């Protein structure tokens, strides 16, 4: 894959937020020593510089089709970025602490587009199972995207729209000036947003009017 060096240098040093950044020790070759480099993770690209203030990166690693795993090495807190293939290179890196190593392994494992595809597919299946008739045959079995042997569990509870009940009133509301729409039928997650917005908006307006009238009474 041919990459434009100027575009890469601009992307590596732009002011956009980074996914992770910090010093790592990078092994130069098969029997080479480790060199301390400043690493910046942006999307699926891992840039490394000589210093944090360097204007251009020394190199870049495209994190597609790779696995990230812990290894035994001369340096403590070491891990490797491995690519499939007989001639593919393995990058051996080492962090400065246990917490930094765990953070880098987690961030690099989630950086590839393949992992994001698995996450999107899982969320689509969870959303389909919550729609009427979308869960025919029993509860959906969630996919568990693998992070190099570790499983990321995504809960469907975070996508469920909570059902809202009307609070009890001390006295009945007076008839509104405009006819309010009827309450939505069926599960709230199947009702169009515009209908929900109109229904709850008029209900809140009616409650506000009642509260103002109660304050005005002696």
């Amino acid at each position: 894959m041919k990459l434009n060096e100027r575009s890469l240098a601009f992307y590596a040093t732009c002011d956009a937020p980074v996914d992770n950044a910090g010093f790592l020790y990078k092994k130069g070759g098969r029997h080479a020593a480790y060199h301390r480099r400043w690493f910046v993770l942006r999307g699926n690209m891992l840039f490394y510089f000589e210093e944090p203030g360097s204007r251009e990166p020394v190199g870049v690693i495209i994190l597609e089709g790779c696995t990230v795993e812990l290894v035994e090495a001369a340096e403590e807190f070491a891990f490797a970025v491995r690519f499939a293939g007989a001639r593919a290179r393995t990058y051996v890196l080492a962090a400065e602490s246990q917490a930094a190593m765990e953070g880098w392994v987690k961030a690099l494992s989630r950086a590839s587009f393949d992992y994001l595809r698995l996450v999107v597919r899982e969320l689509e299946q969870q959303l389909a199972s919550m729609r009427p008739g979308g869960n025919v045959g029993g509860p959906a079995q969630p996919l568990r995207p693998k992070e190099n042997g570790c499983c990321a569990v995504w809960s469907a509870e975070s996508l469920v729209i909570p059902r809202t009940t009307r609070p009890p009133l001390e006295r009945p509301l007076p008839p509104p000036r405009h006819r309010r729409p009827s309450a939505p039928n069926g599960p709230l997650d199947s009702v169009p947003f515009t209908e929900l917005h109109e229904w709850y908006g008029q209900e809140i307006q009616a409650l506000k009017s009642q509260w103002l009238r109660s304050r005005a009474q002696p």
Side-chain angles (χ1 to χ4, degrees):
M1 178 171 54
K2 188 175 181 180
L3 300 174
N4 186 284
E5 293 183 2
R6 294 185 61 184
S7 298
L8 278 179
F10 174 80
Y11 181 59
T13 57
C14 66
D15 295 332
V18 301
D19 298 308
N20 205 1
F23 279 108
L24 292 173
Y25 292 91
K26 177 180 176 295
K27 190 174 182 181
R30 179 172 297 181
H31 301 292
Y34 286 82
H35 301 278
R36 193 168 185 256
R37 296 286 185 256
W38 177 258
F39 280 78
V40 174
L41 176 62
R42 292 181 182 273
N44 66 340
M45 294 185 177
L46 180 62
F47 299 94
Y48 51 97
F49 304 78
E50 290 187 355
E51 297 293 339
S54 300
R55 301 183 61 180
E56 293 185 359
V58 177
V60 59
I61 304 173
I62 309 299
L63 301 170
E64 291 297 332
C66 67
T67 58
V68 184
E69 57 190 45
L70 304 182
V71 296
E72 293 184 1
E75 291 289 335
E76 197 175 6
F77 312 120
F79 58 95
V81 180
R82 300 184 186 276
F83 293 85
R87 298 184 178 180
R89 180 177 176 181
T90 297
Y91 295 87
V92 180
L93 308 171
E96 296 182 334
S97 66
Q98 179 73 21
M101 180 193 68
E102 294 176 356
W104 274 108
V105 170
K106 184 176 181 180
L108 296 177
S109 300
R110 296 180 173 182
S112 69
F113 287 116
D114 289 336
Y115 174 80
L116 295 180
R117 290 190 193 99
L118 291 176
V119 173
V120 171
R121 188 185 308 168
E122 158 65 3
L123 295 177
E124 288 176 345
Q125 288 192 3
Q126 291 184 11
L127 182 60
S129 67
M130 290 187 295
R131 291 173 178 170
N135 192 17
V136 178
Q141 297 297 328
L143 292 176
R144 300 188 177 213
K146 289 187 176 180
E147 297 181 9
N148 306 308
C150 301
C151 295
V153 180
W154 298 83
S155 173
E157 295 177 359
S158 61
L159 296 179
V160 176
I161 300 177
R163 298 177 182 272
T164 306
T165 56
R166 297 175 58 184
L169 303 177
E170 297 180 358
R171 59 175 69 91
L173 291 175
R177 296 181 180 179
H178 301 284
R179 182 177 179 272
R180 294 170 56 190
S182 59
N185 297 322
L188 295 183
D189 55 359
S190 63
V191 179
F193 175 77
T194 53
E195 185 176 344
L196 283 174
H197 185 274
E198 181 180 4
W199 187 64
Y200 283 114
Q202 294 196 16
E203 183 176 9
I204 293 172
Q205 186 65 33
L207 291 174
K208 179 180 178 182
S209 300
Q210 182 199 14
W211 179 75
L212 292 174
R213 285 194 299 271
S214 64
R215 286 176 59 90
Q217 292 178 358

